[in-house]
Amino acid sequence: MAQLIVALDVPNADEAERLIDELYELDVIFKIGMESLYGYPERIFSYCEARDVRYFVDAKLHDIPRTVGAAIKALVRPGAHIINVHALGGIEMMRAAVEAASERASELGLSAPHIFAVTILTSHAAADLGELGLQGGPGENVTRLAALARDSGCAGVVCSAHEVRDLKSFFGEDFLTLTPGIRPSGSAHGDQKRVMTPAMAVEAGADYLVVGRPITEAPNPFEAARAILDEMHAHADHV
Ligand code: C5P
């Protein structure tokens, strides 16, 4: 069953805490991304832990292996269900992340968070990749980077829902996919280019759906999240 992750992309801790309170009973996972991680890290971690919610640290780490391993060790805490790195950091860096997560978790007596690797950002379309010097389209690049992530021991990858079917057929159902760029039909795309509806992402086989603005900017975030969960559940019954 796919799970919903709500991105806490709001500028201050009061707003983030209000969102957690509002959405708490829906049992979603919360995403602590750069805005909250750099803006108000201690408050967001403490609040998630006080409310006993699961969270995904969207740190998108990309540095030399030792530095990434050390950062992962600092991020392993109770409640940290997923932490991510950039696949473009390479196989040694991803391995260092996976090893650091499991070492630190066993020191703390916790279960190790899943390490996910970001493949190609969902705000990138084919033309943006050429500009960066990457040959081929998003699909080919995502598959190549996902193979490195799998070989490094990552639990799965962050990709667009468009790539999920291929990844599941190449790497198997157990290699997990986490998909941002989810837009309920009729909602604004913002800066996202490779988007899909919640129903389509679930049908494609995505394991985690990340949704930010369609929930956080909705007049009623609880109703917006509940509608997305209803759509996900309705389609899961048909998969
Ligand atoms: O508001 P929206 O639904 O576009 O939010 C998507 C979230 O997922 C943002 O926090 C963004 O940083 C994150 N993300 C993404 N694309 C990736 C990885 C993470 O949009 N490839």
Side-chain angles (χ1 to χ4, degrees):
M1 214 3 245
Q3 298 195 61
L4 177 62
I5 301 182
V6 177
L8 293 172
D9 295 333
V10 289
N12 61 65
D14 290 339
E15 274 182 61
E17 291 174 2
R18 204 172 319 123
L19 269 170
I20 293 170
D21 290 343
E22 258 183 271
L23 303 176
Y24 176 80
E25 65 187 77
L26 294 173
D27 196 26
V28 296
I29 299 173
F30 291 97
K31 183 171 89 70
I32 301 179
M34 292 194 187
E35 195 166 351
S36 35
L37 198 54
Y38 291 120
Y40 40 93
E42 276 315 317
R43 265 187 69 183
I44 194 70
F45 284 126
S46 312
Y47 202 74
C48 284
E49 281 155 21
R51 300 236 48 181
D52 198 22
V53 296
R54 287 176 301 161
Y55 56 84
F56 155 35
V57 191
D58 186 16
K60 293 198 181 69
L61 299 171
H62 186 170
D63 207 321
I64 58 172
R66 198 212 74 90
T67 303
V68 166
I72 293 277
K73 286 195 173 174
L75 291 170
V76 173
R77 303 170 57 128
H81 182 63
I82 299 172
I83 307 176
N84 67 1
V85 301
H86 266 289
L88 282 166
I91 202 155
E92 264 188 61
M93 187 207 78
M94 287 188 276
R95 277 201 187 119
V98 171
E99 278 163 24
S102 99
E103 262 175 49
R104 184 67 184 141
S106 76
E107 279 164 24
L108 296 175
L110 302 170
S111 46
H114 289 317
I115 301 297
F116 272 68
V118 178
T119 52
I120 298 293
L121 295 173
T122 39
S123 55
H124 281 161
D128 303 307
L129 302 186
E131 199 173 75
L132 293 173
L134 292 171
Q135 284 170 6
E140 290 158 80
N141 280 284
V142 168
T143 305
R144 185 172 39 80
L145 293 168
L148 294 182
R150 186 213 38 197
D151 293 347
S152 317
C154 289
V157 286
V158 183
C159 60
S160 112
H162 293 275
E163 287 110 30
V164 169
R165 260 184 235 282
D166 277 352
L167 294 179
K168 292 287 183 182
S169 77
F170 296 142
F171 305 115
E173 285 301 316
D174 292 344
F175 190 62
L176 302 173
T177 52
L178 188 158
T179 59
I182 300 297
R183 289 293 179 265
S185 23
S187 64
H189 287 190
D191 55 357
Q192 298 285 15
K193 293 184 183 154
R194 299 185 352 267
V195 300
M196 259 201 196
T197 64
M200 288 158 75
V202 169
E203 272 172 17
D207 299 285
Y208 297 95
L209 274 57
V210 179
V211 183
R213 289 161 289 184
I215 294 175
T216 57
E217 293 178 358
N220 183 334
F222 180 85
E223 286 308 328
R226 196 163 61 177
I228 291 171
L229 284 166
D230 287 347
E231 185 177 331
M232 288 167 63
H233 295 153
H235 283 265
D237 296 340
H238 296 117
V239 180

